[in-house]
DNA sequence: TCCGGGAGCGC
DNA sequence: AGGCGCTCCCGGA
């Protein structure tokens, strides 16, 4: 939004505290008003700059030193609407710059000076420069950054790496504060504490964030992890491939010194930095990060910069603060856990334990510190959550109806008027539902969100192009805000922590689901085969889709007439469905899109959707699934699967399977050194070894680590005598030394393929009793037989190229 | 064999 | 610094 500042005084250049072009002083915040957005008012274009550093590792001190720094600047980005690639190309103004220095200090390759001069003259401005020290590089870099005056800094893992390195090196190289503080908009004299323990060893510390005051930070690594939950790896290389379909060249820090030997290779290094900056910016635009976070921020009234860093809980907090404040409520102060401890002990000393207030406070504290309640330690759940029905496992080949309550928890808050203002604080147990009919703040706020979202969606349908995209972003943000509320009520760190409310909401959810099941089974005489939290699946027993839809419509009608706000809907119809376990199923789903019936395979929870299985097992799993879901008779399916297994086994033995397919991926939840049981975790072992070899990027907390289970040729620890973790190798290790490390095919057969296939097939035989008579196929898929097919084989060993 | 700790899902 | 429910795998008692 635009701000209107009515009374202000300007400052002389010498008095300025910032690097901004204009600086004014106001007497009171009251002279600043937010202008109500009007249709014609356009948002100012933003200057977005992507940053990428290339670094080498100083082994002695175990730190990263900068050899090259690239910036790529997009001068007129729109912040309110998505900018698809064609739009960016049409209206974009791009500029780029790289500064480089030779880490060996041995000068530059022959012809380099001319090469640089040619480049600069060709672009008719300075796009490339070289310096003789890291300090000079940093000075030049900050100067270029200052000239751009960016609103947004973008980078892949910029908050965890580039920003930290820039400031650490500035400190180490004694770069003047008048230079390094140009990375932000505020003039600084002293470097803040860069290291802090408030960020869990991850992301930018408060000190770092204070350095870029006045600019927004968009870390595409963090953003993509937040927005793309299902993506296997959020490394720049993998995202470039999945999102942009571009191959990225990776350069290991160890190889960088070599690249300074010729002009050609040095230019490649520089281009790599510029391309990385570009990729990061492309990912930002692709994910629509700026418009989405802007919308979320406009709804909640928190800081945009915080939204960019995730901060879901804070968004919720600010939204509630604004709402309660506007209704003239006074809210309690927020205390950190530490503050609570201090206050509590002080009061105890001052007033003695008999003080009633203290008892209350202590009770709160005791509740939070009690591990059995799980509020503080992440041990166990603090209260009961959603209801999951026991699945009636099997393969269903008649239409199955999938019904679910839309936005169950937000609707429950409205339906039962659940709020801080309607439910009295009670000592223990789940509180009772309020009898009051006067809507509380929370229900009203939910209704408000629903109403706005409806109107936005309505408006959206009438618009097209960019306006349509903007409104779509907004309605998505409104939904997220509503769904966020329940989770934050149950979070002990939240300012509005209210476990009794969260507990009550969840309890209502369980009862609603159970009531729905009872209604469907007992009164409508239909069979519910599964359900989870807010959904039920009904076996229609029908072959005709129109009849099935009619049954669905009837159920929806019967359920919905029992509620005021709650609404059950048909989310789809399954033509064929394999129900394996709780939270694990797959189906051929039918959906109506633009009036046309679409068919697609939906997979939930099965091994193939998990990142901790190799591509090999996932592909075989999908193959089997397709046979099961599209296949004909039971014996045909079983035989087809069996043949596939034999085929793939032969291909593996012959070395015809690409090595990439053996890669297993696991995420580090903490820095690799922090694991106490590292010796039993393959990915941790791999990360530790790679870090020791100088690879820093990609082996930190929250990174995903790829590995292959191998055995060492001629090694003493043959086969399974060594632990799995010891035999895990990074794909690069296997590729670079393929005579030493061989893929352990037996491991993959027994531990990657067999379990996946056998789980998928477990229900096949039981489902169609009539086909059991043809006992041959059943034998083929019997576990012992599968194992036979997978495991026992001639002990041939193949090499991988 | 049983039991727990982590991953990583579903909702 | 959102919640709980539910497989799975693995290692150790």
């Amino acid at each position: 939004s635009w701000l209107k500042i009515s009374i202000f005084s300007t400052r002389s250049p010498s008095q300025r505290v910032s690097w901004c072009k204009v600086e004014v002083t106001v007497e009171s915040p009251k002279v600043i008003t937010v202008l109500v957005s009007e249709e014609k008012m356009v948002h100012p274009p933003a200057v977005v700059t992507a940053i990428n550093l290339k670094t080498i590792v100083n082994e002695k001190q175990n730190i990263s030193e900068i050899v090259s720094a690239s910036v790529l600047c997009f001068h007129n980005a729109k912040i309110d609407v998505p900018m698809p690639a064609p739009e960016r190309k049409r209206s974009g103004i791009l500029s780029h710059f790289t500064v480089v220095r030779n880490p060996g200090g041995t000068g530059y390759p022959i012809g380099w000076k001319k090469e640089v001069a040619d480049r600069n003259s060709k672009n008719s401005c300075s796009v490339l420069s070289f310096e003789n020290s890291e300090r000079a590089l940093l000075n030049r870099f900050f100067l270029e950054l200052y000239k751009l005056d960016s609103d947004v800094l973008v980078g892949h893992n910029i908050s965890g790496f580039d920003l930290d390195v820039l400031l650490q090196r500035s400190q180490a190289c004694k770069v003047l504060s008048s230079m390094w503080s140009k990375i932000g908009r505020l003039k600084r004299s002293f470097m803040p504490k860069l290291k802090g323990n408030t960020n869990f060893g991850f992301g930018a510390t408060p000190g770092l964030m204070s350095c870029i005051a006045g600019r927004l930070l968009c870390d595409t690594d963090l953003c993509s992890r937040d927005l793309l939950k299902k993506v296997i790896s959020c490394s720049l290389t993998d995202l470039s491939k999945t999102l942009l379909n571009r191959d990225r060249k990776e350069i290991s820090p160890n190889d960088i010194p070599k690249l300074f030997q010729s002009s050609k290779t040095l230019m490649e290094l520089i281009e790599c930095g510029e391309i990385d900056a570009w990729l990061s910016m492309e990912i930002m635009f692709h994910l629509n990060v700026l418009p989405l976070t802007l919308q979320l921020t406009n709804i909640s009234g928190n800081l945009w910069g915080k939204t960019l860093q995730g901060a879901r809980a804070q968004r919720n907090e600010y939204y509630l603060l604004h709402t309660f404040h506007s209704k003239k409520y006074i809210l309690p102060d927020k205390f950190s856990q530490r503050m609570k401890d201090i206050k509590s002990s002080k009061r105890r000393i001052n007033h003695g334990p008999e003080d009633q207030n203290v008892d209350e406070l202590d009770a709160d504290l005791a509740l939070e510190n009690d591990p059995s309640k799980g509020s503080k330690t992440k041990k166990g759940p603090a209260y009961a959550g959603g209801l999951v029905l026991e699945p009636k496992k099997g393969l269903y080949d008649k239409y199955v109806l999938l019904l679910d309550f839309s936005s169950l928890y937000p609707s429950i808050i409205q339906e039962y008027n659940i709020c801080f203002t309607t439910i009295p604080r009670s000592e223990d147990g789940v509180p009772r539902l309020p009898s009051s009919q006067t809507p509380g703040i929370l229900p009203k706020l939910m209704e408000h969100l629903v109403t706005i979202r409806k109107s936005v969606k309505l408006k959206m349908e009438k618009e097209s192009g960019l306006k349509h995209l903007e409104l779509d972003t907004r309605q998505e943000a409104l939904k997220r805000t509503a769904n966020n509320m329940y989770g934050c009520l149950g979070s002990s760190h939240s300012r509005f922590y209210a476990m009794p409310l969260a507990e009550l909401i969840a309890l209502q959810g369980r009862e609603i689901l159970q009531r729905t099941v009872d209604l469907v089974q007992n009164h409508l005489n239909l069979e519910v085969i599964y359900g989870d939290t807010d959904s039920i699946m009904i076996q229609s027993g029908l072959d005709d889709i129109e009849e099935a839809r009619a049954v669905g419509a009837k159920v929806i009608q019967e359920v919905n007439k029992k509620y005021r706000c709650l609404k059950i809907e048909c989310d789809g119809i399954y033509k064929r469905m394999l129900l394996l376990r709780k939270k694990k199923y797959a189906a051929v789903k039918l959906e109506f899109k633009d009036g046309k019936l679409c068919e697609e395979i939906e997979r939930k929870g099965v091994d193939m959707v998990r990142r901790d299985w190799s591509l090999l097992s996932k592909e075989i799993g999908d193959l089997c699934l397709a046979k099961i879901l599209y296949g004909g008779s039971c014996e045909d399916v079983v035989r087809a699967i069996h043949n596939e297994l034999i085929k793939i086994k032969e291909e593996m033995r012959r070395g015809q399977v690409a090595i990439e397919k053996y890669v297993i991926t696991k995420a580090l939840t903490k820095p690799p050194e922090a694991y106490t049981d590292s010796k039993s975790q393959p990915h941790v072992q791999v990360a530790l070894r790679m870090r020791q070899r100088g690879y820093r990027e990609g082996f930190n907390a929250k990174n995903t680590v790829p590995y292959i289970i191998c055995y060492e040729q001629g090694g003493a620890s043959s086969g399974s005598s060594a632990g799995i973790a010891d035999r895990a190798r990074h794909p690069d290790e296997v590729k670079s030394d393929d005579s030493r490390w061989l893929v352990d095919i037996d491991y993959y057969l027994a531990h990657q393929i067999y379990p996946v296939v056998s789980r998928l097939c477990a229900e096949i035989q039981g489902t169609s009793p009539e086909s059991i008579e043809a006992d041959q196929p059943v034998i083929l898929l019997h576990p012992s037989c599968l194992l036979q097919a997978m495991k026992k084989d001639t002990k041939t060993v193949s090499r991988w190229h």
Side-chain angles (χ1 to χ4, degrees):
Chain A
S1 302
W2 287 90
L3 296 180
K4 185 179 176 190
I5 304 173
S6 43
I7 309 158
F8 60 86
S9 56
T10 51
R11 293 198 185 205
S12 68
S14 60
Q15 291 175 308
R16 295 218 178 146
V17 297
S18 80
W19 302 111
C20 297
K21 284 172 186 146
V22 183
E23 203 174 301
V24 299
T25 308
V26 295
E27 290 298 328
S28 151
K30 302 231 160 166
V31 303
I32 303 173
T33 47
V34 179
L35 285 184
V36 181
S37 73
E38 289 165 29
E39 291 296 318
K40 280 176 194 156
M41 204 183 303
V42 285
H43 284 79
V47 179
V48 181
T49 303
I51 294 174
N52 185 270
L53 302 182
K54 292 291 168 219
T55 59
I56 52 167
V57 178
N58 178 325
E59 296 284 348
K60 266 187 245 163
Q61 297 171 47
N62 195 19
I63 49 168
S64 292
E65 296 177 359
I66 305 167
V67 295
S68 150
S70 303
V71 294
L72 177 79
C73 184
F74 195 94
H75 292 262
N76 51 346
K78 289 178 181 157
I79 52 173
D80 49 339
V81 294
M83 284 189 91
E87 162 82 8
R88 297 202 295 279
K89 248 182 200 158
R90 194 165 58 244
S91 65
I93 302 170
L94 268 179
S95 68
H96 63 97
F97 176 81
T98 295
V99 54
V100 69
R101 60 130 189 159
N102 189 343
T106 51
Y108 288 86
I110 302 159
W112 177 247
K113 216 170 173 177
K114 187 174 176 303
E115 189 92 19
V116 172
D118 284 354
R119 279 240 166 175
N120 288 336
S121 68
K122 201 168 79 187
N123 286 276
S124 66
C125 69
S126 179
V127 294
L128 187 53
S129 93
F130 55 97
E131 304 287 350
N132 287 320
S133 70
E134 197 177 2
R135 184 171 195 261
L137 176 147
L138 285 163
N139 277 327
R140 185 63 199 263
F141 176 79
F142 288 127
L143 201 61
E144 291 295 326
L145 211 56
Y146 169 69
K147 283 195 260 177
L148 295 171
D149 191 24
S150 314
D151 301 300
V152 187
L153 301 179
V154 194
H156 202 73
N157 196 19
I158 187 174
S159 64
F161 183 73
D162 302 63
L163 207 57
D164 184 52
V165 172
L166 278 170
L167 292 166
Q168 296 280 3
R169 294 315 294 159
S170 293
Q171 197 168 32
C173 298
K174 297 190 166 57
V175 173
L176 296 177
S177 65
S178 60
M179 290 310 290
W180 64 252
S181 75
K182 286 187 167 74
I183 196 158
R185 277 182 165 141
L186 206 56
K187 289 184 180 175
R188 306 283 296 248
S189 326
F190 300 101
M191 185 74 78
K193 200 176 127 205
L194 297 176
K195 290 217 172 94
N197 43 14
T198 50
N199 68 335
F200 297 92
F202 169 74
T205 61
L208 280 174
M209 289 310 291
S210 75
C211 290
I212 58 153
R215 307 192 203 280
L216 294 172
L217 189 68
C218 174
D219 187 328
T220 48
D221 192 0
L222 292 177
C223 291
S224 53
R225 253 182 251 162
D226 196 28
L227 297 170
L228 309 165
K229 284 266 154 59
K230 282 179 191 152
V231 166
I232 283 172
S233 157
C234 285
S235 72
L236 188 53
T237 307
D238 292 334
L239 283 180
S240 301
K241 191 70 201 164
T242 17
L243 299 183
L244 312 173
N245 195 24
R246 297 190 85 99
D247 291 310
R248 171 179 177 251
K249 198 168 136 192
E250 291 193 57
I251 295 181
S252 153
N254 297 350
D255 296 336
I256 285 182
K258 280 189 290 211
L259 301 176
F260 278 81
Q261 284 166 9
S262 82
S263 287
K264 186 169 164 284
T265 51
L266 184 48
M267 206 54 97
E268 277 170 19
L269 172 69
I270 285 159
E271 274 167 8
C272 181
E274 291 176 348
I275 288 170
D276 282 357
W278 181 81
L279 288 171
S280 176
M281 177 138 16
E282 286 290 303
I283 290 168
M284 181 195 79
F285 281 118
H286 187 92
L287 294 178
N288 192 17
V289 174
L290 294 180
L292 179 62
T293 52
L294 177 63
Q295 288 293 350
L296 287 167
T297 302
N298 278 343
I299 295 165
S300 301
N302 63 330
L303 291 175
W304 193 358
K306 282 288 179 185
T307 307
L308 276 166
Q309 290 191 291
R312 283 202 291 265
Q314 199 208 39
R315 248 165 43 220
N316 186 69
E317 177 180 337
Y318 274 66
Y319 188 41
L320 288 180
L321 282 174
H322 286 302
T323 309
F324 276 104
H325 178 258
S326 72
K327 312 269 183 203
K328 306 286 180 197
Y329 279 85
I330 293 174
L331 291 146
D333 287 333
K334 189 183 183 185
F335 295 110
S336 66
Q337 189 59 49
R338 202 181 129 65
M339 281 293 289
K340 282 185 191 174
D341 288 344
I342 292 166
K343 267 187 100 67
S344 138
S345 58
K346 263 191 188 163
R347 284 205 195 175
R348 200 175 295 135
I349 292 161
N350 291 344
H351 306 286
E354 69 279 2
D355 187 313
Q356 250 194 342
N357 290 331
V358 178
D359 282 349
E360 250 173 53
L361 201 60
D362 281 348
D364 284 351
L365 267 170
L367 202 68
E368 281 184 52
N369 288 324
D370 184 354
S372 70
K373 291 275 180 190
S375 309
K376 193 168 188 209
T377 59
K378 262 202 174 142
K379 276 254 165 146
Y383 62 92
L387 174 66
V388 185
L389 305 179
E390 195 55 48
K392 293 177 180 154
K393 301 173 190 172
L395 179 65
Y396 294 85
D397 54 5
K398 313 241 181 208
Y399 286 114
V400 170
L401 296 163
L402 174 57
L403 306 183
D404 64 8
F405 287 97
S406 51
S407 303
L408 180 68
Y409 288 173
S411 303
I412 287 173
I413 292 174
Q414 289 182 76
E415 183 85 31
Y416 300 109
N417 200 15
I418 294 172
C419 186
F420 300 91
T421 59
T422 58
I423 293 173
R425 280 173 179 270
S426 68
E427 290 306 312
D428 46 27
V430 190
R432 286 205 314 227
L433 285 174
S435 50
S436 163
Q437 293 300 308
T438 322
I441 305 291
L442 234 45
K444 266 202 264 184
L445 175 153
M446 287 296 172
E447 192 196 339
H448 182 236
L449 286 174
V450 171
T451 313
I452 303 180
R453 178 157 180 245
K454 254 185 213 158
S455 78
V456 170
K457 277 179 113 171
L458 220 63
K459 237 166 137 185
M460 183 178 93
E461 297 310 322
K462 289 182 201 148
E463 301 280 353
S464 64
L466 289 180
K467 194 72 192 169
H468 180 92
L469 289 175
E470 181 194 355
L471 293 172
D472 193 32
T473 308
R474 182 159 172 78
Q475 67 91 7
E476 180 65 23
L478 286 161
K479 185 179 158 191
R480 284 172 192 237
T481 305
N483 288 338
N484 214 1
M485 193 69 64
Y486 159 76
C488 291
L489 289 178
S491 166
S492 59
H493 306 295
S494 163
R495 177 178 194 139
F496 291 93
Y497 175 48
M499 198 181 77
L501 298 191
E503 201 173 2
L504 181 59
I505 293 166
L507 172 64
Q508 294 311 311
R510 289 195 300 276
E511 289 185 348
I512 287 163
L513 187 67
Q514 191 58 59
R515 275 206 295 274
T516 308
V517 171
D518 292 344
L519 175 76
V520 171
Q521 297 203 144
N522 302 338
H523 297 279
L524 300 172
N525 275 326
L526 294 161
E527 193 180 4
V528 175
I529 54 172
Y530 180 58
D532 184 346
T533 309
D534 63 351
S535 72
I536 54 167
M537 292 180 191
I538 301 172
Q539 181 184 25
S540 76
L542 297 166
D543 283 317
D544 186 296
I545 185 152
E546 289 309 323
E547 284 179 38
R549 290 181 73 185
V551 169
K554 174 75 182 159
V555 176
I556 289 169
Q557 193 195 346
E558 289 301 314
V559 174
N560 284 348
K561 78 181 175 195
K562 298 180 71 167
Y563 301 103
R564 186 168 52 90
C565 306
L566 279 158
K567 222 174 83 184
I568 202 166
E569 291 173 338
C570 181
D571 189 46
I573 296 178
Y574 293 149
K575 193 175 173 183
R576 217 170 145 95
M577 173 184 182
L578 180 64
L579 182 50
L580 293 173
R581 316 215 53 163
K582 283 179 174 177
K583 298 182 191 282
K584 285 175 194 268
Y585 59 90
V588 181
K589 185 178 187 180
L590 299 175
E591 259 182 316
F592 285 91
K593 279 178 189 166
D594 311 321
K596 276 206 302 196
L597 203 56
C598 297
E599 212 179 277
E600 65 176 3
I601 288 197
E602 182 165 88
R603 302 166 309 169
K604 289 289 170 70
V606 289
D607 294 325
M608 291 85 79
V609 304
R610 296 174 65 93
R611 71 156 76 95
D612 48 4
W613 292 96
S614 61
L615 188 56
L616 179 72
S617 13
K618 289 186 207 175
E619 280 183 356
I620 294 171
D622 278 332
L623 215 60
C624 295
L625 190 60
K627 300 273 181 214
I628 293 168
L629 289 179
Y630 288 115
S633 69
C634 183
E635 57 259 52
D636 286 351
V637 168
V638 171
R639 192 171 297 281
I641 289 174
H642 192 263
N643 289 340
E644 287 297 339
L645 291 180
I646 302 291
K647 200 175 111 201
I648 196 73
K649 183 183 67 176
E650 293 303 323
E651 282 174 15
M652 288 167 73
R653 295 279 187 220
R654 285 200 294 267
Q656 292 168 334
V657 177
I659 194 158
E660 282 74 22
K661 296 199 177 179
Y662 291 103
V663 174
I664 301 166
T665 320
K666 271 217 171 83
L668 293 165
T669 50
K670 45 193 173 188
E673 300 83 14
Y675 281 80
T676 51
D677 56 343
S678 67
K679 64 178 190 301
S680 68
Q681 312 246 33
H683 63 303
V684 180
Q685 286 290 313
V686 170
L688 286 171
R689 194 167 48 245
M690 294 302 277
R691 282 177 72 86
Q692 209 163 27
R693 290 186 177 191
Y695 292 84
R696 286 298 183 278
E697 260 178 292
F699 302 103
N700 290 312
K702 298 206 181 180
N703 285 136
T704 54
V705 179
Y707 63 90
I708 298 169
I709 301 297
C710 300
Y711 67 92
E712 197 171 3
Q713 190 167 47
S717 56
S718 66
S720 53
S721 66
I724 297 295
D726 295 328
R727 300 193 286 123
R729 287 295 173 277
H730 192 276
D732 290 347
E733 294 180 288
V734 183
K735 280 180 201 160
S736 66
D737 200 2
D738 72 339
S739 59
R740 184 171 168 204
W741 296 110
L742 303 177
V743 176
D744 187 345
I745 291 170
D746 289 329
Y747 172 85
Y748 280 89
L749 288 175
H751 294 96
Q752 287 278 313
I753 296 178
Y754 169 69
V756 170
V757 174
S758 91
R759 270 195 286 273
L760 281 173
C761 298
E763 299 304 322
I764 299 294
Q765 308 143 38
T767 319
S768 314
E770 65 273 17
S771 63
I772 274 185
E773 290 164 27
D775 55 356
Q776 181 70 1
V778 178
I779 290 170
L780 282 176
L781 272 185
H782 190 273
S784 65
C785 178
L786 253 184
L787 203 67
Q788 190 90 10
M790 290 290 88
K791 232 182 164 178
K792 300 276 182 263
D793 200 15
T794 46
K795 270 277 175 188
T796 47
V797 166
S798 17
R799 296 244 332 238
W800 302 92
H801 304 286

